[in-house]
């Protein structure tokens, strides 16, 4: 599809209107384009309440209905939160015999949508469950800190007394100080908005079970990771997704070793901001798999606003709260197995679920290999992490309600099927994200408007006429042919030069 085809497609969908004001009006040129980026085609599948355990779906649905925001937004928020609260305390062993292959549920969530879909209000409402717990933990930390200072003061007095006695004692009869210094309390943190490695590493060191990093608008986070000199940041988060070990040299604080760095990320981004990043990912310029780690990824479309105003469903909220409380307070998870190889608590699949998982794994591996580009292949290749993490999350939710299947604590076929249904939905959203055709067309559209805006700017500042080649040098990734095709639509040209805008 060339530039003329792009232009024709845009005009058919939403006619382009350009208003030219005269130079006495401060050279203002405005353009109104009615949703030219919207693509026609089949609607993306949606996550539905029956795909989740009822103790999650009822409250998520209630929140999204009252805020009038897409259900998918609440689902991504809830699953990312719960997965990272579980962290690395328990794993799933997706293969029947391989004890070396364990997966943790520290999922990364990304919501793609316009500001009007109310992404942030949904998270604030969903996260109130953990906020209430953190408030209690903060209160206890303050009390423990006061007690620690008192104990430390008593310890210091006793140590001073000992040192005085030590000076008086004879060389052959030296006393030994046996009193141990009190341990300082540790502040529990489950969610942070800190961005630096140093800050996150400190929190993780005190809270080794895992941490969720919240970035409301994730575009700034992505830019930071792309910045020159920030390569260590990128590696840090990549390692955090896989729960690998990490050594960090901290300025003024020495060496810090984290044996199991477990990080989740949850963020929002607008489609127009994400598009250039997608283009570079599909073209292989960002091939380290960072974007593909956002596997709880959805495109969210705004709902029709109806002015919903009703009382929150308290029973649904209490059920959701009980899941969060169970996970946070659990010292260990009931029925989890261990093995002599790595001492890691884990759950396995039931026989029926194991058979279905193996069939699915073979199928998704083949589908990944046959993807239309390597970016999508990389994304789908990580779906074993996604589906297993979801199955484990649903299993933990079930345990939180006290369900006991006659002592069988293996993950059921029902929980695997729920995970499968959500994974199938997310797969279609991922295919849209990495669609080669959409990425290429969007890149051409973006370039078209960059050239058009540059020609308008040159016209306003009386810097025309200029050759196609000269104008192309002023627009990144443009060539003379691109400029000529745009100029034919909006400007008067003579030979290889743009003379002025049409109707100016």
């Amino acid at each position: 599809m060339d530039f003329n085809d792009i232009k024709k497609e845009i005009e058919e969908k939403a006619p382009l209107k350009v208003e030219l004001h005269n130079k006495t009006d401060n050279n203002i040129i405005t353009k109104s384009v009615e949703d030219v980026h919207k693509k026609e085609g089949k609607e993306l599948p949606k996550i539905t309440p029956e795909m989740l355990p009822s103790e999650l779906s009822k409250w998520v649905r209630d929140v999204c209905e009252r805020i009038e925001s897409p259900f998918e937004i609440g689902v991504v928020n809830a699953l990312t939160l719960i997965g990272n609260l579980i962290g690395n305390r328990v794993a799933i062993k997706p293969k029947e015999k391989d004890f070396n292959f364990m997966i943790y549920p520290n999922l990364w969530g990304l919501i793609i949508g316009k500001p009007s879909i109310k992404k942030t209000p949904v998270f604030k409402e969903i996260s109130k469950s953990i906020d209430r717990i953190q408030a209690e933990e903060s209160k206890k930390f303050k009390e423990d800190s006061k007690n620690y200072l008192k104990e430390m003061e008593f310890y210091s007095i006793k140590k001073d007394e000992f040192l005085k006695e030590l000076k008086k004692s004879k060389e052959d009869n030296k006393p030994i100080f046996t009193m141990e210094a009190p341990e300082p309390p540790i502040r529990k943190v489950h969610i942070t908005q800190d961005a630096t490695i140093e800050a996150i590493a400190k929190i993780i060191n005190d809270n080794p079970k895992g941490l969720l990093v919240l970035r409301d608008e994730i575009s700034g986070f992505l830019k930071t990771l792309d910045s020159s000199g920030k390569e260590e940041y990128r590696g840090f988060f990549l390692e955090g997704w896989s729960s690998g070990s990490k050594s960090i040299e901290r300025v003024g604080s020495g060496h810090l070793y984290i044996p199991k760095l477990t990080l989740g990320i949850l963020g929002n981004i607008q489609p127009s901001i994400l598009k250039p990043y997608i283009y570079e990912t599909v073209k292989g310029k960002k091939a380290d798999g960072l974007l593909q780690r956002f596997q709880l990824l959805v495109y969210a479309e705004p709902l029709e606003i109806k002015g919903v105003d009703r009382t929150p469903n308290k029973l649904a909220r209490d059920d959701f709260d009980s899941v969060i409380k169970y996970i946070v307070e659990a010292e260990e998870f009931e029925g989890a197995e261990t093995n002599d190889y790595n001492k890691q608590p884990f759950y396995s699949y039931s026989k029926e679920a194991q058979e279905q998982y193996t069939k699915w794994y073979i199928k998704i591996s083949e589908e990944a290999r046959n993807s239309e580009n390597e970016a999508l292949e990389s994304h789908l290749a990580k779906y074993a992490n996604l589906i297993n993490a979801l199955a484990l999350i649903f299993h933990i939710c079930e345990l939180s309600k006290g369900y006991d299947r006659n002592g069988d604590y293996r993950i059921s076929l029902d929980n695997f099927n729920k995970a499968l249904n959500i994974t199938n939905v997310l797969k279609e959203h991922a295919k849209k994200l990495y669609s080669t055709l959409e990425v290429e067309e969007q890149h051409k559209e973006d370039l078209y408007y960059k050239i058009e805006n540059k020609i308008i700017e040159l016209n306003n500042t009386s810097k025309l006429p200029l050759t196609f080649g000269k104008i192309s040098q002023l627009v990144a990734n443009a060539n003379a042919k691109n400029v000529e095709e745009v100029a034919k639509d909006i400007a008067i040209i003579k030979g290889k030069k743009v003379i002025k805008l049409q109707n100016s």
Side-chain angles (χ1 to χ4, degrees), residues 85-86 89-90 326-327 330-336 347 396 399:
L85 288 177
I86 297 170
R89 289 182 291 161
V90 67
Y326 170 79
I327 292 170
E331 292 296 328
E332 57 184 37
F333 292 100
E334 188 178 7
Y347 292 103
I396 297 294
L399 291 177

Side-chain angles (χ1 to χ4, degrees), residues 44 297 299 376 379-380 383 425-435:
L44 286 170
L297 178 150
Y299 279 89
L376 179 59
H379 194 97
L380 297 183
Y383 266 20
V425 171
L426 296 175
K427 182 171 64 175
E428 296 306 312
H429 287 245
K431 286 181 178 179
K432 173 181 172 62
L433 182 74
Y434 300 108
S435 168

